[in-house]
Amino acid sequence: MNILFYRYNSICESSILAVWKQSGFQITEITEEMENKELTPKEQMLLVSEPLKANHYDLVFSINYFPVLSEVCNIFKTPYACWIVDSPVLELYSNSIYYPYNRIFLFDYALYEEFAPKNPGCIFYLPLASDVSTMKPICDNLTDKDRLRYSCDISFVASLYTEKCPYNKLNNPPDYLRGYLKGIIESQLKIYGYNFIRELVTSELVAELKKYLPGFYQFPDNYEKNEIAVVADLYLSTKVTEQERLRLLNLLSNQFSIDLYTGSDTSSLPKVHNKGLARTYSDMPKIFRLSKINLNMTAKSIKSALPLRIWDILACGGFVLTNYQREIPEYFEAGKDLETYSSEEELLEKCRYYLEHEEERMQIAQNGYQKAAKFHSLEQRIGEMFHILTADSRS
């Protein structure tokens, strides 16, 4: 298969590329956006259209959805496949999503339920996966220096969202609006496994909120102007994520030793050990293997899925303690392959329990690794994708 791969520096790209090359696929990479994030749609279009004019490709591929790639592929009648790995991806509201040459794979089943009816037969559910072949060799060659540097009781590798929370631009709203928004945020913070924010956002609330949010997100032309989704997923869900991470880390750090790997400001978390940013393919696997407990706090815009962090921890043989997500029971058994919490009290209780029960904790980590490696490796997931793509081409 001859694939044109449009890259922009997603952390998933290099691993997918390695799997494809191992499979014998011919890959042409478009890499300009890896260095230049200011490319215009016209420049993106030319980067894809020129090679399509010059050569035959069976597929154009990207991580996440680029409407301009869909537009070009529709003109050339070339399948455009993409794997959505982030949330929110507001580009999915582009009218280009209806084109027949799209093959869009969504990692979040709640996202699939929303978008699949828009283009039946062209939008598919595909969960993320464990990149065992990349992570395992790193974890199998740990040094004494690694163990000294990365070993800890509890770690969390993530942004706190404090620096990228557009809700924080809210400018002097009236008390009634501030109170209503705070009520939504505080209510969602208490509920695990179900994001109900969209149900509480009305067009009237959107109109009122826009008065006090400078730079409110503007959909480009030829998009469905779903401003309820913008308020729920971009503004409010991001704020809930920020508050959850700050509050839980503060709570935990009063009782446990917490190592946090982040580029975010941690001045409000004086008892947390800020270790700075973790490099994806050098630091991160060692952290996941050597932490007694690896926390996961899923961004609230990911409504039902397992985020990549869970899959990566399992690929490294690490112990996962995560907030409950609706899709977890589809793939793993809580208390056997990983562990979940559904309240602040349960999180504290399980941190204490698993720090005191090393043998049980290590067995769960091993079970999770074995299940991820056997059933949910990146190679298997890419195989599922191409089974769909090739079956579709034969029909």
Side-chain angles (χ1 to χ4, degrees), residues 28-40:
T28 300
E29 300 175 58
I30 299 174
T31 59
E32 280 80 357
E33 192 158 336
M34 297 176 73
E35 301 296 332
N36 180 9
K37 300 301 181 185
E38 304 301 322
L39 290 175
T40 65

Side-chain angles (χ1 to χ4, degrees), residues 73-122:
C73 288
N74 192 57
I75 292 169
F76 281 87
K77 296 182 169 50
T78 299
Y80 167 50
C82 63
W83 195 1
I84 306 302
V85 303
D86 295 318
S87 182
V89 177
L90 296 177
E91 289 81 2
L92 289 170
Y93 291 100
S94 166
N95 291 336
S96 63
I97 198 174
Y98 296 99
Y99 289 147
Y101 291 93
N102 287 332
R103 301 294 180 265
I104 301 171
F105 295 86
L106 303 171
F107 82 111
D108 187 332
Y109 195 80
L111 206 61
Y112 170 79
E113 290 178 312
E114 177 181 357
F115 286 99
K118 297 176 183 290
N119 196 350
C122 295

Side-chain angles (χ1 to χ4, degrees), residues 156-163 260-266 272-278:
F156 185 47
V157 181
S159 166
L160 298 180
Y161 277 78
T162 50
E163 76 281 8
L260 173 63
Y261 291 83
T262 188
S264 303
D265 178 12
T266 56
V272 169
H273 310 128
N274 185 346
K275 299 290 186 175
L277 291 170

Side-chain angles (χ1 to χ4, degrees), residues 107-299:
F107 82 111
D108 187 332
Y109 195 80
L111 206 61
Y112 170 79
E113 290 178 312
E114 177 181 357
F115 286 99
K118 297 176 183 290
N119 196 350
C122 295
I123 299 178
F124 310 91
Y125 168 65
L126 189 73
L128 301 179
S130 290
D131 186 10
V132 176
S133 60
T134 299
M135 302 295 188
K136 187 176 187 299
I138 300 171
C139 295
D140 286 347
N141 292 282
L142 297 172
T143 65
D144 290 341
K145 184 178 179 181
D146 291 331
R147 296 181 190 281
L148 183 64
R149 179 177 177 182
Y150 298 107
S151 294
C152 67
D153 285 347
I154 303 173
S155 73
F156 185 47
V157 181
S159 166
L160 298 180
Y161 277 78
T162 50
E163 76 281 8
K164 55 181 179 181
C165 181
Y167 180 90
N168 292 340
K169 296 178 180 178
L170 192 63
N171 184 22
N172 198 28
D175 289 343
Y176 74 89
L177 179 59
R178 186 186 297 276
Y180 185 74
L181 295 170
K182 183 179 179 180
I184 294 175
I185 293 165
E186 294 297 328
S187 298
Q188 184 65 78
L189 280 165
K190 292 177 168 52
I191 302 298
Y192 288 83
Y194 178 54
N195 185 325
F196 54 76
I197 293 175
R198 275 207 204 183
E199 299 170 30
L200 301 180
V201 176
T202 64
S203 56
E204 291 78 15
L205 176 62
V206 171
E208 189 69 10
L209 186 60
K210 288 171 69 175
K211 298 176 186 177
Y212 305 97
L213 261 176
F216 186 87
Y217 178 84
Q218 296 293 313
F219 281 105
D221 293 337
N222 300 317
Y223 271 58
E224 175 193 345
K225 307 298 192 289
N226 192 333
E227 293 185 330
I228 287 176
V230 170
V231 169
D233 298 341
L234 181 62
Y235 289 97
L236 290 172
S237 287
T238 304
K239 185 62 176 178
V240 173
T241 300
E242 176 208 65
Q243 287 300 299
E244 179 178 49
R245 293 181 179 186
L246 289 171
R247 295 183 194 188
L248 291 185
L249 288 170
N250 185 59
L251 180 72
L252 288 168
S253 66
N254 285 325
Q255 299 189 35
F256 306 104
S257 177
I258 308 291
D259 283 2
L260 173 63
Y261 291 83
T262 188
S264 303
D265 178 12
T266 56
S267 57
S268 63
L269 300 170
K271 296 182 181 180
V272 169
H273 310 128
N274 185 346
K275 299 290 186 175
L277 291 170
R279 292 169 294 180
T280 303
Y281 293 114
S282 52
D283 302 320
M284 195 176 74
K286 298 171 185 178
I287 297 163
F288 290 160
R289 172 61 72 87
L290 293 171
S291 300
K292 293 178 181 177
I293 294 175
N294 291 281
L295 291 177
N296 174 63
M297 304 178 204
T298 307

Side-chain angles (χ1 to χ4, degrees), residues 319 335-336 339 353-354 357-367:
F319 176 86
K336 181 179 179 181
E339 190 55 276
Y353 178 85
Y354 283 108
H357 293 79
E358 182 174 3
E359 188 173 327
E360 185 176 352
R361 185 186 73 239
M362 293 178 68
Q363 185 61 58
I364 290 173
Q366 182 62 19
N367 292 344

